[in-house]
């Protein structure tokens, strides 16, 4: 699903992997999102950048694969920067 304007999103992946697609960073410079995998159920939360934009300098998707793990990212207007990881 596409990420809207909510700043914190909680996910239950018990029904299968979930992909959260970030908006274009150029239009939301300064926006902060926190993603938390509340229930894993054997599946992952995949955070996908928009097109060729990067997440912390990488063109790869970021995967949250541990239950209760969370990540906070912020748009710098060009890509997305990881500003916090919360491990369980």
């Amino acid at each position: 699903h596409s990420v809207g304007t909510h700043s914190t999103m909680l996910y239950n992946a018990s029904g299968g992997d979930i992909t959260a697609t970030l908006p274009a960073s150029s239009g939301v410079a300064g926006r902060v999102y926190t993603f938390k995998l509340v229930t894993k159920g054997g599946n992952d939360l995949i955070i996908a950048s928009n097109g060729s934009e990067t997440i912390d300098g990488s063109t790869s998707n970021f995967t949250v694969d541990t239950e209760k793990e969370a990540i906070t990212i912020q748009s710098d207007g060009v890509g997305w920067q990881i500003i916090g990881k919360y491990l369980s």
Side-chain angles (χ1 to χ4, degrees), residues 56-75:
D56 227 28
S58 173
T59 55
S60 297
N61 294 335
F62 186 89
T63 301
V64 179
D65 59 5
T66 303
E67 191 166 278
K68 307 300 184 207
E69 184 175 283
I71 181 172
T72 299
I73 61 173
Q74 182 172 3
S75 168

Side-chain angles (χ1 to χ4, degrees), residues 1-3 7-11 17-23 32-37 44-51 53-56 58-65 69-74 79-86:
H1 74 91
S2 295
V3 175
S7 63
T8 302
M9 285 144 300
L10 307 174
Y11 292 93
D17 288 345
I18 298 172
T19 300
T21 303
L22 295 163
V32 176
Y33 291 113
T34 298
F35 301 89
K36 182 172 182 176
L37 181 56
D44 296 331
L45 167 60
I46 301 157
I47 302 167
S49 62
N50 188 298
E53 293 180 345
T54 62
I55 298 174
D56 227 28
S58 173
T59 55
S60 297
N61 294 335
F62 186 89
T63 301
V64 179
D65 59 5
E69 184 175 283
I71 181 172
T72 299
I73 61 173
Q74 182 172 3
W80 295 91
Q81 301 298 322
I82 296 172
I83 58 173
K85 291 181 183 176
Y86 312 94

